[in-house]
Amino acid sequence: MFDQCPHNSQKWLWLWAEALRKQEPSTAEAQLAVVKKTCRILADISCKGYEMAVIHGNSLQVGNITLSQETAEKINPKLRQCSFDVCDAMSQGYIGYQIQQCLRDALRNRNHNLQ
């Protein structure tokens, strides 16, 4: 699910887009379940004193947004499809939001001092 590069107390964690979409159906709710599970693991690592940078991919999510917009535009031409870069930003935003919220909750559940 993630790669680690050893470097003292620092860890670089890369969340693969495919790992965030292991669940079927490919929905935001299914992805959220995977993110919650992943963030519990990240909270464990953080509570051991490691500094982390969490980086995530989004290729599958961007594809889903693009397909959804193409379908919507076919049904109602007034609903114009966004450009690919905007779809990319949409997916980065919602994945980052899910990670931020779930990691915060996982750390709070461990009574970790959050600031």
Side-chain angles (χ1 to χ4, degrees):
M1 181 169 284
F2 56 84
D3 293 330
Q4 298 183 49
C5 298
H7 206 195
N8 295 334
S9 67
Q10 297 176 339
K11 298 290 180 195
W12 296 90
L13 305 167
W14 176 263
L15 302 178
W16 300 104
E18 293 79 8
L20 295 176
R21 286 291 187 168
K22 280 186 171 181
Q23 305 280 328
E24 288 296 331
S26 184
T27 63
E29 293 80 15
Q31 177 177 296
L32 181 58
V34 174
V35 170
K36 284 181 181 180
K37 182 178 178 181
T38 302
C39 285
R40 287 192 293 270
I41 296 167
L42 297 178
D44 289 340
I45 294 168
S46 175
C47 288
K48 290 178 182 175
Y50 290 100
E51 295 179 28
M52 295 184 294
V54 180
I55 306 161
H56 63 83
N58 68 328
S59 57
L60 298 174
Q61 294 80 357
V62 144
N64 286 343
I65 291 171
T66 302
L67 288 173
S68 295
Q69 290 195 355
E70 285 175 1
T71 302
E73 188 175 20
K74 288 176 185 173
I75 294 169
N76 182 352
K78 291 181 181 178
L79 298 173
R80 302 295 300 178
Q81 183 179 350
C82 294
S83 61
F84 191 76
D85 61 324
V86 172
C87 293
D88 181 53
M90 288 177 178
S91 69
Q92 290 287 346
Y94 89 73
I95 295 168
Y97 177 77
Q98 285 182 335
I99 293 169
Q100 177 186 10
Q101 298 299 307
C102 292
L103 187 54
R104 180 202 61 201
D105 292 346
L107 290 168
R108 282 187 178 158
N109 288 339
R110 284 164 180 74
N111 295 320
H112 196 314
N113 184 17
L114 293 178
Q115 297 177 354

